[in-house]
Every structure is written in structure tokens, then in C-alpha cells.
Amino acid sequence: MSSRVGRKFVVSLFGQSHSAAVGCVVEGVPAGRAIDFADLRAFLARRAPNGAAYSTARKETDAFEFVGGLVDGVTCGAPLAALIRNADAHSADYDQVRRMPRPGHADYVARAKFGAAHDVAGGGHFSGRLTAPLCIAGGIAKQMLRLRGVEVGAHLARVACIDDAPWPSQGLAPDDVGRPGGKSFPVVDDDAGMRMRDAIAAARAAGDSVGGVVECAAVGLPIGVGEPIFDGIESALGRILFGIPAVKGVEFGCGFAAADMCGSVHNDPYRMRDGHVAFESNNAGGILGGISTGEPVMVRVAFKPTSSIFLEQRSVDLERGCNADLTLSGRHDPCVAVRAVPVVEAACAVALYDLMSEAGLA
Amino acid sequence: MSSRVGRKFVVSLFGQSHSAAVGCVVEGVPAGRAIDFADLRAFLARRAPNGAAYSTARKETDAFEFVGGLVDGVTCGAPLAALIRNADAHSADYDQVRRMPRPGHADYVARAKFGAAHDVAGGGHFSGRLTAPLCIAGGIAKQMLRLRGVEVGAHLARVACIDDAPWPSQGLAPDDVGRPGGKSFPVVDDDAGMRMRDAIAAARAAGDSVGGVVECAAVGLPIGVGEPIFDGIESALGRILFGIPAVKGVEFGCGFAAADMCGSVHNDPYRMRDGHVAFESNNAGGILGGISTGEPVMVRVAFKPTSSIFLEQRSVDLERGCNADLTLSGRHDPCVAVRAVPVVEAACAVALYDLMSEAGLA
Amino acid sequence: MSSRVGRKFVVSLFGQSHSAAVGCVVEGVPAGRAIDFADLRAFLARRAPNGAAYSTARKETDAFEFVGGLVDGVTCGAPLAALIRNADAHSADYDQVRRMPRPGHADYVARAKFGAAHDVAGGGHFSGRLTAPLCIAGGIAKQMLRLRGVEVGAHLARVACIDDAPWPSQGLAPDDVGRPGGKSFPVVDDDAGMRMRDAIAAARAAGDSVGGVVECAAVGLPIGVGEPIFDGIESALGRILFGIPAVKGVEFGCGFAAADMCGSVHNDPYRMRDGHVAFESNNAGGILGGISTGEPVMVRVAFKPTSSIFLEQRSVDLERGCNADLTLSGRHDPCVAVRAVPVVEAACAVALYDLMSEAGLA
Amino acid sequence: MSSRVGRKFVVSLFGQSHSAAVGCVVEGVPAGRAIDFADLRAFLARRAPNGAAYSTARKETDAFEFVGGLVDGVTCGAPLAALIRNADAHSADYDQVRRMPRPGHADYVARAKFGAAHDVAGGGHFSGRLTAPLCIAGGIAKQMLRLRGVEVGAHLARVACIDDAPWPSQGLAPDDVGRPGGKSFPVVDDDAGMRMRDAIAAARAAGDSVGGVVECAAVGLPIGVGEPIFDGIESALGRILFGIPAVKGVEFGCGFAAADMCGSVHNDPYRMRDGHVAFESNNAGGILGGISTGEPVMVRVAFKPTSSIFLEQRSVDLERGCNADLTLSGRHDPCVAVRAVPVVEAACAVALYDLMSEAGLA
């Protein structure tokens, strides 16, 4: 069992969707660092449902309390521990799930793994709710990275076959990567965003859901971050990103498109620029041999469509051992990728700050 | 620094391309298990260059020696330690590289990270050569998994935009996943394979290289394998697969295609079949919430084109601080994806056997 | 930074003496295990100050709240997370300490390590207060071990040169090791206990403090528990026991006395007894090669005298850079070893249950 | 299973007493550090048997080969891997042991844990032979620590109730701690050493063995090294020291004697000296709250008498299930503590350099 990631900047998540609280323990922040709570609250607000047509109706203020690790808002060298109380939990919604596993959810495999004791309410420990404490850890990591000149940002790159304007792989400024996060709908091209919202609203109206792709960039990462072989940047980001519910694919730089390219096109040439070694392109997504090149780290993350839909689905009744058709009620995002944008930022920030710490750059 | 992966089945890799040897230490194999050396040699032979037009001319017999962990070929409970001597090393080929970083390789970032002490010969510790000891560990993991009814196999799914016949996501038999590995060119559809070889030979003739995609499947994995959040199957496979040189993308089940689907299509329904709960489809790639469903685990891995090409490339002279055009000599695969097929199997076997061990199923 | 121990049964401690709360995250308890809260409260009550003459006046009800990992008091497979609020904190007592480090405490080294941001109040994260959440984890481990027939108990073996009746190294029954913990003063020989209390009260009256030795035994541990070399029982217990504040020595079996023995006396002979292999003695303290023999595991832990005394002590004024005499006020145990008895049990239970889990016996 | 220790400076040991080789993988040495092989050979020679009356007759040249991690004797950033071939192995000596476990050895418990597959020859992976690769890792750690002004040394403090002159807890110079290691018999007081040798020779003549105590000091360690709670210096040294075969006790500073002291005597006062904060005494053994104080780190390690004696011992015949008297032949030290002196230095150096690395001081 493990809900922990990191080697020097270590994040442990705890809690279930409907337990008393969810939270995190975060080790590895140097002592003497002030936490910007307003910034952290604003970051968590991006993940919280906002009542829009593309979001769940569940009210999650995500108000956090730090119970350890701080003195007057400054880290003291002890592990950080933070809680978010689970206020608006409706366990009643989930009685049916105990008997009938929801297609696309972990209900059935979790029951097979943990037995009847598994906390099925809201998906228990497998709930997207756990991304809230991940965002606390990630929000802190983002602040620590910013102190080192590294800015991590993401946007909704694709929803329902509608593409946002892609980010260039070179020349991204810190403001550029932060801009989408400052909008109510995190895209670069607001026209594309409008069409995405329409598509999401249409899916919701049809009782269905859609998937999406989130693109994340880290700019300002110095060259030389990342450890050999199994602790390179791709490995570290891959591990943590696949820990986000609904993620089914991760690619860096040209990613799967690179498999269709030839070396003479894909290799990023070197040139001297202003007396420094520079890359003429960034097909590598800022990573060679698992180590940062100094160019922006570019990663794309594929999210499957929300598993909770309101159309009738084919399931089984585990108690009676027969087929059963299932129609879900409850409150769910029709497109998890939207609120996942800050979660991807959080995951990337946690992994990158851990590698920065490993490299002695925390 | 870390070249180690796993929690209970722990693999540590050591050595450089041109050091005295490469090797691995493998912890976590239960005592009393006989190692099938003929099977292990045959597995490593699949990774070794075979002199074909799509392979490097470097001679690597990959003859291994176990120096610890075995008594008469049976595990005794101590860590396994194995060596492969580096016989056919031509360090002379790499003097140029000390000054001029090869585009697409880790030369430049490794020098930035480790300084002039970095072992540039053959890419040092970043060399694909390290996949040989990974295959020793993986070959052992494959044998241990086989004892538990789990078969891991892979095929070359795509090269230079040529697709092999894809594997069905359901109904794969152990023989099916093993078949491509038994061929000199690891594909399902030999006609497609012939076209791939022609494309690779053409790239070689042009002094260029091509990328590819490897598809891997694990059949027979019981339901319930995988740990919550950051130690799910996708996270574990993601971490280790991105540790293979040249991997730029990893996806499970429908992967990136899932981002374009709606939930009513992507969700895998449940039905009772012969008194057991069954899935009607396997879009999830055998994984829900990071935990195995009992369906085949399906993963696709994108490899960038071989970075070492023989066309003139734009680089810099680090000593003289000026631009320099680089033309590589040496011996390199024009398509790393071909020999990577057993490496992907090895990596998946290592990660899955570790999770099996975590679940008490070793 | 790390306040975490264990590989499969993993305990993370958080909080400071005067932060909002102290607590723990506990991974690795199998799903479906009922937690006996009455037993757990009773165990924590043993650690809490009881107002006796040998105890601090600080009121610590140590009332805990589980915020994750349980459904109706039964483990669900998610990490356990528990909190104890810090009610009775008097930070005012510690203003002086910011300037004048207390001899024997971590104040000065922690300031050197963490800077002025270190939480000096009550010793911050270094406070014995952190042993309360350790007792939550240990109380749970004791319950899990009991389910496997293993009983862990301890007694106050020595205080101020007064020895309790020692435990025999063979033939201890579960009730034997549990008995001292059931008393208000945890000794085997109540007369010795009375003399210890007098010595402690005398030290308190003199404004001074005394040290002590705690002996702990684990009976019922099956043979074969413990991993090779650095994860043997002695290594695992040694690491966690030295994590308890004020511990300066740890010995197993004959311990330091073994250094004065000859092999013919120290070696424990084997004999057949009722058709089973038995040991004729247990000088090894139930451990050979780091692995359990099936005999009781016997460990002795040396505690230094309480660092907080009320006599004038020589210190320095860090702000003015001059010598300063320090006289402490506040509330402190004159002998930490007394309340440390359940803490030693907790630490041993955590380490042993982790090794049981590693051995697949959880 | 685990034979690995460390978090940033990570040492993995492999091999058995009679396997092809023993060796280690060492991660975490910064790139660009030259290894002094003459110094390393000299260090290993201190552990190797020297044919003296107090030593085994087994010939172990302990000639090592580095197969990875170095270029021209300088670390390149890849893990270090080193081998020592097992030349002089007499497996024939151990056939008897398969049936009759040797009292005091791990034979019986290892068989219970690993089954008949356990490598009984020479104690297999539990053999003191594994301390040779530990000394390779430790010799490297000692060199790295020396670069940081830290000198680790040890002496034989007590054998057969004969005490060497103890080291003062303050004012030790680097030369002081290195001096005993430069002698053929590692003591401070050569007269005491002579008496120890006589006692060891007498034990050997009687077919018996004796135990001993090793005292180790690390001078020059800066203040602030060590992590909170479970990764303090005592925890780190305790874990690794108890991993050395035959160690049964570990104490720091006054250790068990501290349990008999009162706080007013044990607390180390602070005074200003030459404008700096200084300690007036070092009863703490250079450690407060698990963190270094800047005073010498002082640790004492108790070794039980060599388990292999040549007197008839009571054992059992596991095959015939009856009592059996056992008389060992073979080649064994009558006092393991003598050759353990450099091993204790190695273990302490490994643990301290790991903590230095954690603190960013590697």
C-alpha cells in the first residue's frame, strides 16, 4: 500500500472522499520558507468546482488547515501536514454502488483487492477528491519552484476533438504558462475554449461525458535536473501523472509523433548564441537522457472521459450474481480534464521540485 | 543519483557502455526458485544485435555471469548479482564527442550535470547498453511471472508510419503474446514486418534513422494487483518504461485516443459470464484505478528515432566555443525500437512482478 | 528531512509540541481489520502524564481523531491518518529558550540546522510529544501483532541504579509481558518500583532528574522474521528505538555483557524437545543473523536523565553572544524512562509488524 | 529481502561466502572525485586476516575490481560497482552444517526462512565475508568524509574484560582517531593490546572464543548533520552497525551509563569560547536530538564472542530429527571484534556520509 511519492520532497496523501478529511504530509521543504496562503487558496480554487455547466454541483470549499510544519506561516523544518475537511458528503448516493460496480471506476477491482471493507463511498481513497491535497502539496511546490525561477503552468489542450492553440516548444515566458490558469476556463484560445464548453455542456445534456488532453510546461528549469535511468524527469513525471485518476497517456516533447519522425528531423541541433550553447529546436520537450536541457519541459497528458455518466449502463449485481442495469445519480464533472489542469500542474511541480531537491537546488 | 527501481523486487543497474562490465543486482526473488539459463540466454539474444540490416554492427554476445544469489542455479534468498563484460568497446570512436555533443544524446546535459568527469564513451551510464542487464532482471521476472500464470510479450507495433497488426484488447492467449518474440523480426504480421525492414534499411542507406512504437501485453495477471494512487500499474510501468533510452510516450488501453471518446463508449461494461463477473470490452487496458482488472494489461510505448545518424549535424565545439558541424562514425541501430521490444517486455515484467510481490503473489 | 519509518508498514509522524496538532499517517494495515479503540485509548493513557510525582503537570488527554483509513472503525485499505490536538500548550514558557539553548536539548543544534525558523516551542518536532502519535501507530501494530499471536510488552528495568526484577530470557508468557503495563508504575517487582518512585521524587525535589533503562520483550514471534544484513530485527529496532528522544543505548540479549563472555558460554545450544528443535538458552535475545529464532526477542533501551532540570545551568545568550545562566521553569518529567515504557513497546511493535509484513505474515 | 542501506549515499551488498564473488554497488558519490586505491587497499588489508594468532587462517587477499562508476579512477556520476572474487573457498567444510546447525550462527533460522535452498556454505549471505564489500563502500565514504574534514577511526576498546585506554570525549584530533588503525593490533594502549592478544590466543588454544567492544569516533563532523526522529545519527548508525554480524549492543556518548546519571551531571553545559558557542563536556557523544553538535561523535559497539568454536557443542541433526553433538573444523577468528574495527569504521563512515549528503554537504 502506498499513496506516497518523492525521495527528498516527499508527499503522502491520506483520506477518502467521504472520510472526516483528506490531507497530505509534505516533507522536504527547507526551513524558513514563507508559504503564500492567498496564492495557495487561489490555486486550490482552480481545482474546486465552480458551479459552471462543465463542473460538478458538489460544493467543495477546499478550505485547508495546516496542523504542523509551520510557525507563523513559515516552514520550521518539520514535515508540513494539512487537512481539508469533507463537508458536503452524501454517502447515501453510494449505497447502490456497494452492489453494482460503476463501469470505468475502481469499485470492482478495489473490492477484489480490499474486500467488502473497501470504502466505496465516493470512490473512497481512489476518488478525484484526493487531488485536492495533491494540489496543496503542488501549490507549495509551485511556490518553491518560483523562488528558483521555475514556473509551471498548464492548459486544456484538447477536448472532444477540439484543439486549443498549442504552446510553442521554445520561447515560452513565465507569464505565458501562467495565463490560462488565470482564466475561468484554462485555455490559450478563448474561442476554442467556448467551443469546448459547448461540447462539454452538450455531453452533460446527453447524460454523457468527454475526455481531454492537458498540456503542461515548466519554464526556467536549469540544465542538469533529473537522475539517471529510473529517476529521470520523464520517469518521475510519468509515475506521478499516472497517479492522477483518469490519466491514460503521457508524452513528452513530440511524444508519439516522434515515433513517426526520422532522426534528422527530430534531433535538436546545437548552436552558439550570444556565447552560450543553445538548442535550435525543442522536439525533446526539454529532456535528454532524463535530464533537463534548460529548454521548457513539455508534457501532454491524456484523460479518459468521466466514468460517471447518467445513461443506463450494463453492470452486475454482486450480491445476487446477475446482470443489472445501472443508472447513476449524483454530482459529477462531465469532463474531468477541465479541473485536472491545476492537478497536472501540481503533479509536475511536486515531481520537478523533488528532482531539484535531489540536485541540491531546492 | 539512482539507477534502481522497485520496492520488493528491486533492480539496481550498474556499469557504463565502455566500463569493464555492466550488470545488475536483483533483490526479492523468493529462495528456492530455479533459474532457466537457456531461457534467459535466449531472451538476451533477442536484445543483442544480430548483424541484420536493421541492427548495429557492434558485437555484443551479452554473456552473463551470476556472481551471487544462486546455488547450483537455484535462488538461495540472497540478492542476485549478474555481470556482462564489455568486450567489444571502441572508446576511440568517442574522443570527438568529448568536444562536440551529439544532437539527441545526453552528452551535453550529462556534462552539465556531472562535469568533465562524465563518462562520454558510448554514452556511459546513459547508453542503451544498460538495457542488457535490465533484460537479465526482466528475464528473471518473466520466469517468475510465468510460474504465476502471467505471460508478458511485445511486438513492434509501428515503424516509419507502417503499422503491424494490432493485438486485440481481449482474448489474448499466452502463446499469442509470446509469438512475435520468437521471430527474427518481432511483429504479428510478417508482411508489415517486411515493409518495416525495408523502411529501416532505406533510412540506414540514407544515413538517417526512424522511430517506432512497441506494444506490450501482460496476460494472466490476476485482478487486484497494483497499489493506490502513486503505485498503480500505470505509475509503476510509466516510471520504468520512461527509464528506457529514447522512450517519449507511454499510453494504456485506448491511451490518447480515449481523450477523444465519450464515456458511454469508453466505459467497459460488466456482464456475468459462466457465473463470473466479466468485462465486455477492455478499453481500460486491464487497469482501473491503477489496479489490474484481470483483463490483459495493454501498453504502447513510443520510441524516438535513433539519435545517432550519419548525416552532417549542427553542433558546437565546447572547447573552442564555436559552432561545429558533426558527422558521426561508429555503429548504431537505425531504429532502436526493434531491439527495444524485449527491453519493453523486461521493463514491464520487472514492474509487474514487483507489484505482484507487493500484493503477496510472488 | 524524514520522520518516517518502515517499508511495508510505514509510519509518518507530523506536528510539533505546540502546533495545532500532532499525528501520524500509517500505511500497510490490511483492509478489513477492526481497530479496538478502547484498547488504543488505554494504551495512550499509559504514555500520558498522570499527575503523579514522577510525571509532568502538563495535561495531555491525547484524545485522537482518525480522519482517514477507516469505515465504521474497520480499515478499508487506505492509509490511516490520526490527529491529536495540542490543547494545553504554553508557548510563553519558551520565549527565553529562543535566546538561551537548554543543555541536553536539541534547541541549539536545531537552530544551527534549521535557522531561526526552527520551532523552539516545547522542542518543536523534536519534542517527546511526538511519541504520542508514535503510540497510536504502535498501539495499532500491537493489535495487529496480537492477531498473529505476538505480544509486545515492556517494564522499567532500572532507575537511579535501582533494578527491577529482570525478565527471564526464556519461558515468558504473553500475560507476563503485559502485566507491568497494567500497573500505574510499570515494573515487575513493586517493591523495587516503590524505591524507584522515591528516587524519582527525590530527584524532582532537588530540581534534578534521573535516567533509566526499559526492557522490552516480544513473545510469540515466529521463526524467520527479519531480512538480511541491514534489515535484520536488531537493525530495524535499533533504528526506531534511537528515534525516541533521550535514548542513548540499545542492546539485545546479553548485549554488552556478551562482549565479556566466551563463545562456549554465550552460544545457545540446540536440543530436540517433543520432536521439535528447541534452544536450551536465549543469550541471543531471540535473534540470530538478524532473524527471529522463535524465542522471545529481548531488548534493553537506555534513557538519559531528563534534560529539563530546575537547577541553574550554564548556557549562552545567542543574541548577546555571552555566557548566561539558565534556570528553567515549565512542566517536565523528572524521569522520561517511566512514560517511555509504552513508547518502547510502540516502537518495537511498529518495527516488528513491519518485518512481519515483509515476511508475508501481516 | 534487502542488503541495502542509505538514502542518498546508497550501498547495496551482494554475494555469499562461497559464491563466485562478493561485492557492492555504491550510489551517491558526486562525479569528479578521485578514488585513492592505495588507501582503499590499505583499509581493506586491515580487515583481511593476517595470519596472526588472533586471526583466521583463511586467505583473503580481498583484491577488488571496479567494473563500473569510474573513468581513470575518477567517479563519473554512475553508480560504483566493485567485486571481490572468492578465491579460497572450502565448501567441503560445510557439508556437515547442512544437517547440524552451528550454535550462534544463522544456519538454523536462515534454513527456516529460506528453506533448503539457503546457501549454508560459510554462512552464505550472512557471512562476515560480506563485511569486505562493506569496507569498500566504507573506505570510499571515509575518503569522501576526509575531503570534508571528517575523520572516522576506531579502536578495540575491550576484549575479555581487558580495557584499552579510552578516548576522551573532547579534544580528539584526526591523527588520534587514525592512530590505532595504523597498528597491527588496533588499540591505543599497546600494553593492554598485548594482554588482549594473550587472552585471545588462550581462548584459541582452548578451542573457545571471546567477545569485545569497539569504540569509534568521528571528528570534524559539522554541527547540524542528521535528520529528525527516525533518521538521526543514532538511528542511522544503529541500523547499519547492527547489520554487522555479531553486534549485540550499540551506545552513544555515556550510553548505558547515562541511565545511572542525573541530569545535572549528564547535561553538557554551553559556554562562549573565543566568540563561539562551545560545549564544556561531551556526554552526549556529539549528538543531540539525533543531530550532530560539532563535538566528536562517539559510539561503542558490543560484539559477541565468535560463534564458531572448536569445543564440542550440543546441536541437532535436522535430517534424522535427533540430538547431535557437533565439533567444528574450519578456519575462524577467535575474536571477531579485532577485524571488526575497520568494519565499524566503514559502517559509521557510510552512515555519516549519507547524512552529510542528505544535508547537502557531500
Side-chain angles (χ1 to χ4, degrees), chain C residues 219-231:
Chain C
V219 299
L221 198 69
I223 187 170
V225 174
E227 302 299 315
I229 307 195
F230 303 119
D231 289 305

PDB file of all heavy atoms in Angstrom, chain C residues 219-231:
ATOM      1  N   VAL C 219       7.010 -11.771  22.589  1.00  0.00           N
ATOM      2  CA  VAL C 219       6.872 -13.234  22.645  1.00  0.00           C
ATOM      3  C   VAL C 219       5.870 -13.696  21.592  1.00  0.00           C
ATOM      4  O   VAL C 219       4.908 -12.999  21.280  1.00  0.00           O
ATOM      5  CB  VAL C 219       6.419 -13.703  24.050  1.00  0.00           C
ATOM      6  CG1 VAL C 219       7.432 -13.302  25.100  1.00  0.00           C
ATOM      7  CG2 VAL C 219       5.044 -13.165  24.396  1.00  0.00           C
ATOM      8  N   GLY C 220       6.144 -14.866  21.035  1.00  0.00           N
ATOM      9  CA  GLY C 220       5.239 -15.427  20.036  1.00  0.00           C
ATOM     10  C   GLY C 220       5.649 -15.119  18.612  1.00  0.00           C
ATOM     11  O   GLY C 220       4.996 -15.566  17.659  1.00  0.00           O
ATOM     12  N   LEU C 221       6.745 -14.361  18.473  1.00  0.00           N
ATOM     13  CA  LEU C 221       7.208 -14.055  17.117  1.00  0.00           C
ATOM     14  C   LEU C 221       7.675 -15.359  16.460  1.00  0.00           C
ATOM     15  O   LEU C 221       8.501 -16.073  17.024  1.00  0.00           O
ATOM     16  CB  LEU C 221       8.356 -13.052  17.181  1.00  0.00           C
ATOM     17  CG  LEU C 221       8.697 -12.285  15.896  1.00  0.00           C
ATOM     18  CD1 LEU C 221       7.592 -11.296  15.544  1.00  0.00           C
ATOM     19  CD2 LEU C 221      10.010 -11.524  16.066  1.00  0.00           C
ATOM     20  N   PRO C 222       7.154 -15.681  15.286  1.00  0.00           N
ATOM     21  CA  PRO C 222       7.563 -16.932  14.641  1.00  0.00           C
ATOM     22  C   PRO C 222       9.018 -16.871  14.200  1.00  0.00           C
ATOM     23  O   PRO C 222       9.587 -15.784  14.044  1.00  0.00           O
ATOM     24  CB  PRO C 222       6.626 -17.032  13.432  1.00  0.00           C
ATOM     25  CG  PRO C 222       6.178 -15.638  13.164  1.00  0.00           C
ATOM     26  CD  PRO C 222       6.148 -14.948  14.499  1.00  0.00           C
ATOM     27  N   ILE C 223       9.623 -18.012  13.992  1.00  0.00           N
ATOM     28  CA  ILE C 223      10.991 -18.068  13.487  1.00  0.00           C
ATOM     29  C   ILE C 223      11.012 -17.573  12.038  1.00  0.00           C
ATOM     30  O   ILE C 223      10.037 -17.739  11.303  1.00  0.00           O
ATOM     31  CB  ILE C 223      11.551 -19.507  13.572  1.00  0.00           C
ATOM     32  CG1 ILE C 223      13.037 -19.542  13.195  1.00  0.00           C
ATOM     33  CG2 ILE C 223      10.736 -20.469  12.723  1.00  0.00           C
ATOM     34  CD1 ILE C 223      13.694 -20.893  13.498  1.00  0.00           C
ATOM     35  N   GLY C 224      12.084 -16.880  11.658  1.00  0.00           N
ATOM     36  CA  GLY C 224      12.259 -16.482  10.264  1.00  0.00           C
ATOM     37  C   GLY C 224      11.881 -15.052   9.938  1.00  0.00           C
ATOM     38  O   GLY C 224      11.928 -14.639   8.782  1.00  0.00           O
ATOM     39  N   VAL C 225      11.537 -14.261  10.944  1.00  0.00           N
ATOM     40  CA  VAL C 225      11.185 -12.857  10.700  1.00  0.00           C
ATOM     41  C   VAL C 225      12.458 -12.008  10.759  1.00  0.00           C
ATOM     42  O   VAL C 225      13.285 -12.169  11.665  1.00  0.00           O
ATOM     43  CB  VAL C 225      10.155 -12.355  11.732  1.00  0.00           C
ATOM     44  CG1 VAL C 225       9.892 -10.866  11.564  1.00  0.00           C
ATOM     45  CG2 VAL C 225       8.866 -13.156  11.602  1.00  0.00           C
ATOM     46  N   GLY C 226      12.607 -11.110   9.804  1.00  0.00           N
ATOM     47  CA  GLY C 226      13.810 -10.281   9.719  1.00  0.00           C
ATOM     48  C   GLY C 226      14.470 -10.509   8.373  1.00  0.00           C
ATOM     49  O   GLY C 226      14.421 -11.615   7.835  1.00  0.00           O
ATOM     50  N   GLU C 227      15.061  -9.445   7.815  1.00  0.00           N
ATOM     51  CA  GLU C 227      15.661  -9.541   6.491  1.00  0.00           C
ATOM     52  C   GLU C 227      17.180  -9.466   6.618  1.00  0.00           C
ATOM     53  O   GLU C 227      17.710  -8.997   7.616  1.00  0.00           O
ATOM     54  CB  GLU C 227      15.132  -8.418   5.599  1.00  0.00           C
ATOM     55  CG  GLU C 227      13.603  -8.420   5.442  1.00  0.00           C
ATOM     56  CD  GLU C 227      13.075  -9.691   4.808  1.00  0.00           C
ATOM     57  OE1 GLU C 227      13.659 -10.150   3.821  1.00  0.00           O
ATOM     58  OE2 GLU C 227      12.075 -10.233   5.321  1.00  0.00           O
ATOM     59  N   PRO C 228      17.895  -9.897   5.593  1.00  0.00           N
ATOM     60  CA  PRO C 228      19.352  -9.959   5.714  1.00  0.00           C
ATOM     61  C   PRO C 228      20.039  -8.607   5.951  1.00  0.00           C
ATOM     62  O   PRO C 228      19.549  -7.567   5.525  1.00  0.00           O
ATOM     63  CB  PRO C 228      19.801 -10.546   4.373  1.00  0.00           C
ATOM     64  CG  PRO C 228      18.634 -11.348   3.908  1.00  0.00           C
ATOM     65  CD  PRO C 228      17.429 -10.543   4.369  1.00  0.00           C
ATOM     66  N   ILE C 229      21.144  -8.683   6.604  1.00  0.00           N
ATOM     67  CA  ILE C 229      22.127  -7.607   6.787  1.00  0.00           C
ATOM     68  C   ILE C 229      21.492  -6.351   7.392  1.00  0.00           C
ATOM     69  O   ILE C 229      21.335  -6.307   8.609  1.00  0.00           O
ATOM     70  CB  ILE C 229      22.869  -7.310   5.467  1.00  0.00           C
ATOM     71  CG1 ILE C 229      23.455  -8.627   4.889  1.00  0.00           C
ATOM     72  CG2 ILE C 229      23.998  -6.304   5.742  1.00  0.00           C
ATOM     73  CD1 ILE C 229      24.506  -8.432   3.807  1.00  0.00           C
ATOM     74  N   PHE C 230      21.081  -5.376   6.586  1.00  0.00           N
ATOM     75  CA  PHE C 230      20.704  -4.080   7.159  1.00  0.00           C
ATOM     76  C   PHE C 230      19.238  -3.983   7.554  1.00  0.00           C
ATOM     77  O   PHE C 230      18.781  -2.923   8.001  1.00  0.00           O
ATOM     78  CB  PHE C 230      21.065  -2.943   6.200  1.00  0.00           C
ATOM     79  CG  PHE C 230      22.516  -2.910   5.835  1.00  0.00           C
ATOM     80  CD1 PHE C 230      22.917  -3.054   4.517  1.00  0.00           C
ATOM     81  CD2 PHE C 230      23.486  -2.766   6.815  1.00  0.00           C
ATOM     82  CE1 PHE C 230      24.253  -3.033   4.170  1.00  0.00           C
ATOM     83  CE2 PHE C 230      24.832  -2.734   6.481  1.00  0.00           C
ATOM     84  CZ  PHE C 230      25.215  -2.877   5.159  1.00  0.00           C
ATOM     85  N   ASP C 231      18.477  -5.037   7.327  1.00  0.00           N
ATOM     86  CA  ASP C 231      17.073  -5.041   7.737  1.00  0.00           C
ATOM     87  C   ASP C 231      16.763  -6.196   8.657  1.00  0.00           C
ATOM     88  O   ASP C 231      15.641  -6.718   8.663  1.00  0.00           O
ATOM     89  CB  ASP C 231      16.156  -5.024   6.510  1.00  0.00           C
ATOM     90  CG  ASP C 231      16.190  -3.684   5.797  1.00  0.00           C
ATOM     91  OD1 ASP C 231      15.935  -2.659   6.470  1.00  0.00           O
ATOM     92  OD2 ASP C 231      16.528  -3.638   4.603  1.00  0.00           O
TER      93      ASP C 231
END
